Amino acid sequence: MVGKSYSLVTKVVAGSASQRLGKGLSEALKCDLVQIESKRFPDGEGYVRILSDVSGETVAIVQNTYPDQNMVELFLLQDATRRAGAKRIITVVPYFGYARQDKQFQPGEAISASALAKLIEAHSDATITVDLHNLNTLASFSKPVANASVMKATGEFLKGKADAILSPDKGSIGRAREAARVAGVQFDHIEKKRLDGSTVQMTPKELNVRGKRVAIVDDIIATGGTMMKAAEQLRAQGATRVIAVCTHGLFTGGALDKLRQSFDEVHACDTLESPASTISAAGSIAAEIYKFRS
Ligand code: R5P
């Protein structure tokens, strides 16, 4: 351990999907990173083992719930940590898979985000999410829960790089506005209409971006369709530089390579590890853990 920790968390367990962020969180909290063994059997089933003593400790388990096998690994880590004698478990879900199915869009559907919330907290004492797609999902948790926002870190990162920050849709207005406030630059949003799972139509909107360096800030980049449409609009309106920034970079189907052709820069946080992970969520998560203490 380096220095004195003021956090209630005394150990951090980083699942295989969140190694880098888990290490960053243990450094931010000034507490130990637990050694674990994590492997897959030939049939694909997961296996985990806690290798350090966590008896009587308050443990933060950091693990994404995407794709599904990482969700199962999270459940195994919660079980192993509890069996190893941990006093309290705080589950940190950097990227909360299924968060976009946050309501019944059609009769008969599952509310996947709510179903997942219940499973995640079943073997945990508290949960921390990061830039959760819809904050209403927090109401699905019955135990203590908090959402860490990386928008302050994003705003700091964009200081001096952008003259304006835009939300690509109404859903991300709150997040992008906060990044713009911290960066001390103009804010606006673009109107978007989703036609199907991979097609997005951007409704032209008069944005004062001529001659400006513009950053588009979203919570998730999946196919990159939203961002690429927005980049087209902004370049057509005279933006001199366009930067794509998101919290969660899924980058499905080679999206990162495609985005790098449309944008001058592409950045994401380390909630999902990729070559674009230039902003860390560790400080924002640590700040929420500190709040649980008081
Ligand atoms: C949607 O509401 C989200 O905030 C993102 O804008 C969306 O998930 C991005 O998806 P894609 O990269 O596939 O356009």
Side-chain angles (χ1 to χ4, degrees):
M1 195 195 297
V2 185
K4 183 167 169 50
S5 171
Y6 293 96
S7 160
L8 85 170
V9 165
T10 47
K11 303 255 167 145
V12 172
V13 167
S16 60
S18 302
Q19 287 282 305
R20 176 172 151 183
L21 181 54
K23 184 168 184 297
L25 182 61
S26 72
E27 288 165 1
L29 293 172
K30 295 186 168 49
C31 67
D32 294 330
L33 188 63
V34 172
Q35 294 298 308
I36 66 160
E37 182 184 354
S38 165
K39 65 180 182 186
R40 297 226 156 253
F41 291 108
D43 62 0
E45 288 184 352
Y47 167 96
V48 301
R49 185 173 170 218
I50 303 294
L51 299 175
S52 311
D53 182 14
V54 296
S55 178
E57 309 275 4
T58 294
V59 178
I61 300 177
V62 190
Q63 171 75 345
N64 286 323
T65 56
Y66 169 90
D68 291 0
Q69 63 181 20
N70 289 330
M71 192 190 321
V72 174
E73 185 181 316
L74 170 62
F75 299 149
L76 300 184
L77 286 169
Q78 289 173 327
D79 185 76
T81 303
R82 191 71 89 192
R83 287 178 194 280
K87 181 178 70 181
R88 192 175 183 208
I89 295 175
I90 297 178
T91 299
V92 178
V93 185
Y95 177 65
F96 189 111
Y98 295 88
R100 287 176 286 180
Q101 181 74 21
D102 54 6
K103 63 181 178 186
Q104 285 186 305
F105 297 92
Q106 297 184 73
E109 289 182 344
I111 303 181
S112 311
S114 171
L116 262 288
K118 291 180 175 70
L119 289 170
I120 288 165
E121 71 171 1
H123 300 287
S124 179
D125 301 295
T127 308
I128 293 180
T129 59
V130 182
D131 282 332
L132 188 59
H133 180 64
N134 182 348
L135 291 178
N136 291 338
T137 298
L138 296 178
S140 298
F141 289 85
S142 55
K143 295 178 184 172
V145 62
N147 180 67
S149 170
V150 295
M151 288 303 120
K152 187 165 181 287
T154 300
E156 294 287 352
F157 178 81
L158 287 171
K159 268 184 191 167
K161 279 179 172 284
D163 307 306
I165 291 179
L166 303 177
S167 167
D169 56 25
K170 288 188 178 151
S172 280
I173 284 178
R175 286 181 285 261
R177 193 196 297 278
E178 172 62 3
R181 186 191 66 76
V182 173
V185 299
Q186 270 187 296
F187 169 78
D188 203 346
H189 83 276
I190 304 168
E191 287 175 341
K192 176 180 92 165
K193 187 176 175 193
R194 182 167 286 283
L195 302 179
D196 58 45
S198 58
T199 319
V200 177
Q201 186 182 67
M202 309 295 284
T203 308
K205 185 170 168 63
E206 196 51 53
L207 296 163
N208 184 19
V209 295
R210 185 158 299 281
K212 291 197 168 71
R213 301 167 300 166
V214 178
I216 310 171
V217 175
D218 206 352
D219 61 332
I220 300 167
I221 297 180
T223 63
T226 304
M227 282 287 187
M228 284 187 273
K229 281 274 182 194
E232 274 172 34
Q233 299 270 326
L234 298 173
R235 290 212 195 269
Q237 291 170 36
T240 52
R241 195 166 173 81
V242 282
I243 303 171
V245 186
C246 68
T247 304
H248 311 295
L250 286 169
F251 302 125
T252 56
L256 184 54
D257 289 340
K258 290 181 211 157
L259 283 161
R260 282 179 165 162
Q261 286 167 23
S262 299
F263 283 86
D264 297 289
E265 296 177 44
V266 181
H267 300 281
C269 294
D270 52 3
T271 53
L272 290 160
E273 292 170 22
S274 80
S277 301
T278 39
I279 303 167
S280 182
S284 313
I285 296 167
E288 290 304 323
I289 287 177
Y290 281 116
K291 286 186 206 163
F292 271 138
R293 188 187 168 92
S294 50

